[in-house]
Amino acid sequence: MILEESTEVEASPREVFHFFETMAENYERWHPDHIEFRWVDADGLVSDGEAYFEERIAGKHQQKTVRFTNVDPDRYIEFKPTSRLVGLLMPHISFTIDPRPTGCELTQRIEVRTGPIGARLNRREFDAVRVHMREEGENLRRILEAE
């Protein structure tokens, strides 16, 4: 199953990518349920770099360390959880930045490995993730278009 959300932003792909490069400064203002973000190593937003973050989704406190697996500046960011167990269920998360005449489109994708029964049993949580992703897109647009 793919959870996906796209947002049109009146900002350049470079500005959107820079927002993610400076996530340590942007994380908490990006969404009110974001708690903490930090780079685990000094390399920042590069392939094989790691980051740690905490957030609340559906009232549940989430803590994750992720490794960036594919970083194409101004175009694409992909990462996966470092936990093997979480990685089995959620093998990767990505942000695609596509240029548009008035800015760009940011598409967030989360791949989730679950069958139809798992999808039905966890529908409330998946719906909460979809809402969170939509709010992140709207907040990113608001932040970048105001700057």
Side-chain angles (χ1 to χ4, degrees):
M1 171 170 48
I2 304 286
L3 304 176
E4 184 174 296
E5 176 66 33
S6 293
T7 307
E8 293 276 337
V9 181
E10 289 184 17
S12 71
R14 176 72 197 122
E15 290 168 309
V16 172
F17 187 81
H18 182 70
F19 181 87
F20 289 103
E21 284 181 309
T22 55
M23 188 53 70
E25 293 82 35
N26 290 317
Y27 190 67
E28 291 178 39
R29 72 182 188 138
W30 187 20
H31 195 284
D33 289 336
H34 287 174
I35 299 166
E36 178 184 354
F37 177 95
R38 69 178 180 269
W39 300 108
V40 173
D41 52 36
D43 295 326
L45 188 54
V46 295
S47 291
D48 289 328
E50 290 187 6
Y52 169 84
F53 65 92
E54 296 180 33
E55 63 187 339
R56 240 177 260 93
I57 297 182
K60 295 180 182 175
H61 188 212
Q62 310 278 325
Q63 299 173 293
K64 291 184 182 68
T65 301
V66 297
R67 176 173 291 111
F68 293 89
T69 55
N70 187 349
V71 177
D72 185 1
D74 305 341
R75 291 185 180 94
Y76 187 75
I77 302 165
E78 182 178 293
F79 53 97
K80 66 179 185 175
T82 58
S83 162
R84 288 179 192 238
L85 178 60
V86 176
L88 286 173
L89 301 172
M90 188 173 46
H92 75 269
I93 302 163
S94 66
F95 297 98
T96 303
I97 307 166
D98 291 315
R100 296 290 184 258
T102 60
C104 64
E105 180 180 57
L106 174 69
T107 301
Q108 304 176 63
R109 286 184 191 89
I110 302 174
E111 181 181 339
V112 181
R113 289 186 178 145
T114 185
I117 294 172
R120 183 170 296 152
L121 291 173
N122 294 294
R123 181 177 36 200
R124 185 181 256 152
E125 287 82 5
F126 291 142
D127 288 346
V129 170
R130 286 182 184 98
V131 168
H132 186 90
M133 291 169 67
R134 186 182 70 246
E135 291 171 349
E136 284 178 333
E138 292 167 355
N139 293 341
L140 178 78
R141 177 177 48 228
R142 179 185 47 76
I143 291 166
L144 292 180
E145 290 179 0
E147 292 179 351

